[in-house]
């Protein structure tokens, strides 16, 4: 790779340099005070960076999920203080206009790590797509070839290692537990826990060159406080990482890159979160690069940058060979100076909501968004992207439209599902699917309010008003049958109502609406079939998920085999899953084989690990309770079931087992409160039926009948 001269760098402060001490700051600074401080700090001296100049330096990539650049003081925001990020910016180079290529966590991180656009690396959504490091090497592949060790400590379920990402690392920690009432896409762990994991890994490995991906999820919903509060919390965690690095003597000699994978709507164009739209609030992210020795500290680069530039930039700094796609080395002034436009896309509206996908190109002046009704924004006059100037600037529109057309349109949507998958879908009668998502789809901007209707229905269900929720969802779906998220919700509402056949139908419609999400729907169906003891159907559907969600499929197949008594198969499948849930199932298999000590050892070890990582593992305490009960250790069994209920109030089986253990201990008075609590926490016919069944097992036919009546009334 060629060396570069910073003098030509398209940086406001560089071009007019007159003396080393004079740093005119032409770009918009948050305050004059900050400008003065930076000027006093000297802006760093001219320093020509050459390829491999920082060979062997630790590379630390900090990804703060869902962080809009315009909500950081470094980028002009005045409502909060973020001293840690400010300090990094003062020691580093701030890219003022950095853009994400996709507003979704998994695809965006895959772009960051590979330097490829989503159509190139093939990971187009958080679910249903698998990253293949052998086909699309990551920057860590090149670094590991150069004797780096590569580690990742992540804080969100959507970035779990078995998406394929862990194959790009020597160490990958994603120990994120389940949480009652939280959708998997929102599952996270506190950044402080992730920080502990990262520090322990660095303690063991800092003698070698290393790469660390440190990912925290604080600004992502669900929020503990306001969005601003969460950004401040992320800054505090980042500050702790810097303190640790300084104490270890690593801060100064490391390349530290801080960025976010995408922004957050916050209602600017009607979207509260992210994934649907491609406006600036979803795409424009912070990007700060601190070099060893804080070389070139205080520079601000006004030229466009993109997250696919990160991998080639790291390759340049560390002097490793990483061939990637359209990204550039941000220290190559010629590449930076060249006019370019940055591609972004989102398939989320198509896959989840039945609306059109969006693609966009942003250049130094304009942002063009390709949609059923296309949009063009003049960023100089309208940074907030309020007025569509497409009709006034037809020539700009035509040129950006033509430029976007060069990104193969075939790449705009994944080719539905691969033929192998299509065969399996066809065999189960889900092939109608594929046609229904072709053809023109509605424009997301005309329908964004409908997301609110789905949220309201979800709220009704949460409040136990399942009948009303089902009615509302049926209304939403009759207007938009491609709304796969609504089918998923309707399926779970029918399950709560004990209307299992309707639930199965709803999940099936979900597959037809969104074949690429077939794995998730199929797994819901498999779980339901297991409960109904329809093991053949369960197995067929779990197998349908093998391609889209292999570990989820193996977990499900292990449970099916366990329930149907095939312990050898159950063991193979739980080992194939290679997940925490798989380990719990393996312990249950040992218990079923009478190997109580082995089972206990596994579960207690897992309990210790979970506690150290503040991780809630669904079913772990239940499995312990069940095992203790089998070993006649009833007091411990009772406590374990109570633990499970405290963590997962919707785990109906735990209440039922607890009631049995109470009776065995002759604690008859404690039974009613437990089953009443179950009904209060779940308020569904399904819960009332479990209560009825439990009383029947305990020999109280009269109370069982009362609960059956209650279930019938609520259905
Ligand atoms: Zn994200």
């Amino acid at each position: 790779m060629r060396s570069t001269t910073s003098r030509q760098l398209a940086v406001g402060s560089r071009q007019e340099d007159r003396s080393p001490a004079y740093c005119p700051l032409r770009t918009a600074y948050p305050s004059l005070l900050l400008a003065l401080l930076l000027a006093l700090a000297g802006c760093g001296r001219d320093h020509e960076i050459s390829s491999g100049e920082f060979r062997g330096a630790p590379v630390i990539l900090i990804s703060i999920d869902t962080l809009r650049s315009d909500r950081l003081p470094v980028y002009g925001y005045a409502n909060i203080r973020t001293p840690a990020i400010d300090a990094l910016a003062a020691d580093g180079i701030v890219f003022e206009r950095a853009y994400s290529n996709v507003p979704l966590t998994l695809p965006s991180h895959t772009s960051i790590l590979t330097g490829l656009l989503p159509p190139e690396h093939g990971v187009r959504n958080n679910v249903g797509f698998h990253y293949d490091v052998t086909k699309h090497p990551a920057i860590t592949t090149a670094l590991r070839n150069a004797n780096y060790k590569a580690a990742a400590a992540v804080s969100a379920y959507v970035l779990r290692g078995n998406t394929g990402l862990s194959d790009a690392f020597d160490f990958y920690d994603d120990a994120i537990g389940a949480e009652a009432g939280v959708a998997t896409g929102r599952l996270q762990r506190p950044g402080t826990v992730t920080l502990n994991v990262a520090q322990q890994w660095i303690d063991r490995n800092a003698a070698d060159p290393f790469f660390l991906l440190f990912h925290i999820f604080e600004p992502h919903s669900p929020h503990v406080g306001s969005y601003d509060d969460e950004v401040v919390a992320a800054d505090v965690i980042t500050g702790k990482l810097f303190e640790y690095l300084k104490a270890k003597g690593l801060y100064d000699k490391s390349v530290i890159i801080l960025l976010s994978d995408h922004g957050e709507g916050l209602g600017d164009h009607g979207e509260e979160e992210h994934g649907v739209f491609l406006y600036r609030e979803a795409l424009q992210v912070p990007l700060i690069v601190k070099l060893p020795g804080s070389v070139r500290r205080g520079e601000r680069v006004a030229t466009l940058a993109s997250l696919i530039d990160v991998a080639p930039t790291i390759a340049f700094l560390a002097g490793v060979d990483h061939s990637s796609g359209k990204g550039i080395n941000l220290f190559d002034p010629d590449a930076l100076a060249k006019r370019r436009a940055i591609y972004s896309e989102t398939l989320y509206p198509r896959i989840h909501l039945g609306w059109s996908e969006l693609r966009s190109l942003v250049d130094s002046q304009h942002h063009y968004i390709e949609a059923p009704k296309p949009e063009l924004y003049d960023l100089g006059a309208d940074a907030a992207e309020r007025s569509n100037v497409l009709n006034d600037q037809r020539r700009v529109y035509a040129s950006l439209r033509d430029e976007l057309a060069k990104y193969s349109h075939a790449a705009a949507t994944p080719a539905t599902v691969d033929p192998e998958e299509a065969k399996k879908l066809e065999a189960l009668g889900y092939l109608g699917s594929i046609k229904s998502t072709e053809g023109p789809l509605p424009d997301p901007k005309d329908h964004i309010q409908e997301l609110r209707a789905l949220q309201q229905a979800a709220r009704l269900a949460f409040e136990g008003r399942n009948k009303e929720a089902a009615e509302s969802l049926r209304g939403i779906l009759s207007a938009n049958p491609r709304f796969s998220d609504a089918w998923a919700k309707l399926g779970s509402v029918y399950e709560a109502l004990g209307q299992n056949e309707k639930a199965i139908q709803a999940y099936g419609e979900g597959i037809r609406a969104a074949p690429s999400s077939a794995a998730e729907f199929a797994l819901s169906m498999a779980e339901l079939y297991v409960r109904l003891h329809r093991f053949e159907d369960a197995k067929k559907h779990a197998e349908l998920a093998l391609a889209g969600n292999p570990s989820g499929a193996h977990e499900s197949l292990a449970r099916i085999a366990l329930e149907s008594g095939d312990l050898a198969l159950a063991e193979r499948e739980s080992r194939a899953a290679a997940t925490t849930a798989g380990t719990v199932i393996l312990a249950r298999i040992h218990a079923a084989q009478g190997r109580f000590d082995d089972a206990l050892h596994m579960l207690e070890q897992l309990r210790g690990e979970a506690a150290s990582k503040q991780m809630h593992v669904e079913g772990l305490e239940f499995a312990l309770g069940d095992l203790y009960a089998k070993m006649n250790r009833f007091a411990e069994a009772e406590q374990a079931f109570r633990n499970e209920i405290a963590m997962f109030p919707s785990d109906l089986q735990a209440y039922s087992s607890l009631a049995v253990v109470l009776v065995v201990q002759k604690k008859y008075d404690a039974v009613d409160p437990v089953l009443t609590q179950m009904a209060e926490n779940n308020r569904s016919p399904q819960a009332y039926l479990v209560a009825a069944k439990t009383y029947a097992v305990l020999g109280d036919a009269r109370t069982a009948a009362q609960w059956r009546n209650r279930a019938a009334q609520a259905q």
Side-chain angles (χ1 to χ4, degrees):
M1 266 182 231
R2 52 192 298 280
S3 75
T4 66
T5 47
S6 63
R7 195 154 276 287
Q8 295 155 355
L9 198 63
V11 180
S13 58
R14 291 286 125 209
Q15 290 163 352
E16 293 175 33
D17 256 11
R18 285 164 224 176
S19 72
Y22 177 63
C23 305
L25 298 154
R26 296 200 317 190
T27 49
Y29 276 100
S31 71
L32 182 62
L33 181 64
L34 180 56
L36 285 171
L37 286 173
L38 287 172
L40 285 172
C43 283
R45 277 178 300 168
D46 270 354
H47 179 117
E48 179 181 326
I49 314 270
S50 52
S51 172
E53 179 161 342
F54 304 113
R55 186 169 280 122
V59 178
I60 297 166
L61 179 60
I62 302 168
S63 169
I64 303 178
D65 211 286
T66 321
L67 180 53
R68 287 169 63 151
S69 60
D70 66 347
R71 289 302 188 106
L72 279 180
V74 167
Y75 291 84
Y77 190 56
N79 290 5
I80 55 171
R81 290 190 62 243
T82 53
I85 296 172
D86 293 2
L88 184 76
D91 288 342
I93 300 149
V94 174
F95 292 86
E96 296 183 327
R97 290 192 62 210
Y99 281 82
S100 166
N101 309 100
V102 50
L104 296 166
T105 303
L106 177 63
S108 184
H109 281 89
T110 311
S111 287
I112 293 165
L113 290 168
T114 58
L116 298 172
L117 295 170
E120 295 165 342
H121 60 60
V123 180
R124 314 296 289 277
N125 191 20
N126 284 333
V127 293
F129 295 86
H130 194 258
Y131 167 57
D132 186 345
V133 70
T134 61
K135 282 190 194 149
H136 308 290
I139 182 60
T140 48
T141 311
L143 290 168
R144 288 163 83 188
N145 288 339
N147 291 322
Y148 270 75
K149 282 192 179 147
V154 302
S155 302
Y157 176 82
V158 290
L159 282 188
R160 68 200 178 282
N162 59 35
T163 54
L165 282 180
S166 63
D167 297 339
F169 292 85
D170 299 293
F171 171 88
Y172 201 98
D173 191 284
D174 59 358
I176 294 136
E179 216 173 311
V182 177
T184 51
R186 291 158 165 250
L187 284 175
Q188 57 175 306
R189 65 177 174 187
T192 47
V193 176
T194 309
L195 179 61
N196 277 336
V197 171
Q199 289 176 353
Q200 284 168 20
W201 185 86
I202 294 174
D203 284 342
R204 294 194 300 273
N205 293 282
D208 294 313
F210 71 88
F211 172 94
L212 171 71
L213 167 63
F214 176 66
H215 166 260
I216 57 177
F217 210 54
E218 263 64 16
H220 195 288
S221 68
H223 298 149
V224 180
S226 68
Y227 182 77
D228 280 356
D229 292 344
E230 302 260 324
V231 174
V232 169
D235 184 75
V236 170
I237 295 161
T238 307
K240 284 184 182 150
L241 173 64
F242 294 157
E243 272 170 39
Y244 164 84
L245 293 173
K246 282 176 181 167
K248 292 274 162 183
L250 291 168
Y251 178 87
D252 193 54
K253 65 182 187 188
S254 296
V255 172
I256 301 179
I257 301 174
L258 184 143
L259 50 75
S260 182
D261 55 344
H262 52 76
E264 183 81 323
L266 301 177
D268 286 7
H269 287 85
E271 182 183 20
E272 288 303 321
E273 298 183 17
H274 55 272
V276 179
F277 287 147
L278 295 179
Y279 298 113
R280 64 89 52 219
E281 58 270 20
L283 295 184
Q284 230 180 315
V285 291
L287 177 60
I288 301 169
V289 180
K290 185 207 77 76
L291 297 174
S294 296
V295 169
R296 309 244 301 245
R297 69 200 307 264
E299 274 184 19
R300 295 183 70 102
V301 178
T303 316
L304 284 183
S306 165
L307 292 182
I308 54 166
D309 301 335
V310 170
T313 300
I314 294 172
F316 170 78
L317 295 172
V320 298
D321 245 346
H322 173 73
S323 59
S324 47
K326 298 175 178 67
I328 61 167
N329 157 25
L330 292 169
F331 291 95
D332 177 349
D334 296 337
L336 207 55
K338 234 189 235 161
R339 187 256 163 205
R340 66 174 176 149
I342 289 164
Y343 173 92
S344 303
E345 67 165 36
T346 179
L347 269 58
Y348 185 94
R350 170 182 280 265
I351 294 172
H352 293 267
L353 312 170
W355 307 335
S356 175
E357 71 279 2
L358 301 174
R359 303 195 299 165
S360 90
L361 276 183
V362 64
D363 69 11
S364 58
Q365 288 298 315
H366 292 93
H367 189 187
Y368 167 63
I369 300 172
E370 182 189 76
K373 288 187 251 168
E375 296 159 69
L376 180 69
Y377 297 98
D378 182 339
L379 301 179
D382 177 25
E385 304 181 343
R386 290 285 163 205
S387 71
N388 183 359
V389 295
L390 189 135
N391 287 323
D392 310 324
Q393 304 197 23
R394 300 297 293 187
R395 257 189 302 187
V396 176
Y397 158 56
S399 111
L400 283 168
R401 182 197 56 201
D402 294 349
E403 190 174 347
L404 186 59
K406 288 181 199 146
Y407 292 77
S408 145
H409 198 83
T413 54
T416 53
V417 285
D418 72 50
E420 198 74 359
E421 289 304 292
K423 259 186 229 162
K424 288 191 203 163
L425 289 172
E426 188 176 21
L428 291 172
Y430 300 124
L431 200 62
S433 57
I434 291 156
K435 266 181 233 143
S436 75
T437 51
E438 281 169 2
L441 292 170
D443 196 315
K445 59 182 166 286
D446 295 336
H447 295 267
I448 190 71
Q449 296 308 323
E450 290 164 28
L451 264 186
R452 220 156 271 169
L454 177 65
Q455 282 154 4
Q456 277 159 5
R459 177 148 293 280
L460 286 174
F462 181 75
E463 290 167 358
R465 295 159 67 183
N466 287 300
K467 273 200 271 194
E468 290 163 78
E471 198 183 320
S472 157
L473 288 164
R474 282 192 300 262
I476 292 168
L477 285 161
S478 73
N480 176 10
R482 288 160 166 161
F483 199 155
S484 72
D485 279 10
W487 284 118
K489 192 73 218 169
L490 183 59
S492 72
V493 167
Y494 279 139
E495 281 197 60
L497 284 166
Q499 300 183 16
N500 296 322
E501 284 309 316
K502 284 187 179 174
I504 287 164
Q505 276 170 24
Y507 292 136
E509 290 301 324
I511 296 180
R512 290 188 184 91
S516 73
S517 302
E520 303 312 309
F521 284 104
L523 287 176
S524 296
M525 293 165 96
E527 293 304 300
L528 180 51
Y529 280 128
V530 171
R531 278 216 312 276
L532 300 174
H533 286 250
R534 288 168 61 180
F535 297 123
E536 268 312 302
D537 288 324
K539 188 160 169 267
K540 278 182 211 155
H541 285 83
E543 282 168 352
L544 198 56
L546 276 168
N549 184 350
S551 24
H554 286 300
E555 282 171 14
S556 190
L557 287 166
R559 267 192 293 273
I560 296 162
L562 176 62
E563 297 288 332
S564 54
D566 187 345
L567 297 185
L569 178 62
E571 180 160 354
R572 280 202 302 281
E573 291 293 351
S574 58
R575 288 189 195 281
T579 57
T580 313
T583 309
V584 172
I585 300 168
L586 194 56
R588 287 177 55 200
I589 294 163
H590 289 338
Q593 291 164 333
R595 294 164 59 188
F596 292 163
D597 289 339
D598 291 340
L600 192 61
H601 179 72
M602 284 176 90
L603 291 173
E604 284 182 338
Q605 196 176 359
L606 206 53
R607 185 190 247 178
E609 272 172 41
S612 76
K613 288 178 176 171
Q614 297 180 29
M615 178 170 63
H616 290 179
V617 179
E618 191 162 15
L620 168 60
E621 291 292 329
F622 177 84
L624 266 166
D626 200 44
L627 180 60
Y628 283 133
K630 285 192 170 84
M631 298 170 85
N632 296 330
R633 289 161 67 170
F634 298 114
E636 285 156 294
E638 178 185 337
Q639 188 53 52
F641 289 133
R642 289 193 187 279
N643 293 344
E644 178 80 17
I645 290 166
M647 285 186 263
F648 301 98
S650 57
D651 183 347
L652 303 180
Q653 218 184 344
Y655 297 91
S656 175
S657 298
L658 175 58
V660 173
V661 162
L662 290 169
V663 167
V664 172
Q665 297 178 95
K666 301 193 166 56
K667 296 182 179 175
Y668 304 112
D669 292 347
V671 172
D672 284 342
V674 164
L675 295 174
T676 306
Q677 188 198 354
M678 171 175 78
E680 272 168 15
N681 285 342
N682 293 279
R683 281 190 278 175
S684 67
Q686 197 197 352
Y688 309 153
L689 287 172
V690 170
K693 210 170 156 188
T694 308
Y695 279 110
V697 168
L698 297 176
D700 182 348
R702 222 181 108 240
T703 316
Q706 283 168 3
W707 282 99
R708 259 196 307 276
N709 280 341
R710 191 168 165 188
Q713 278 162 19
Q715 258 163 343

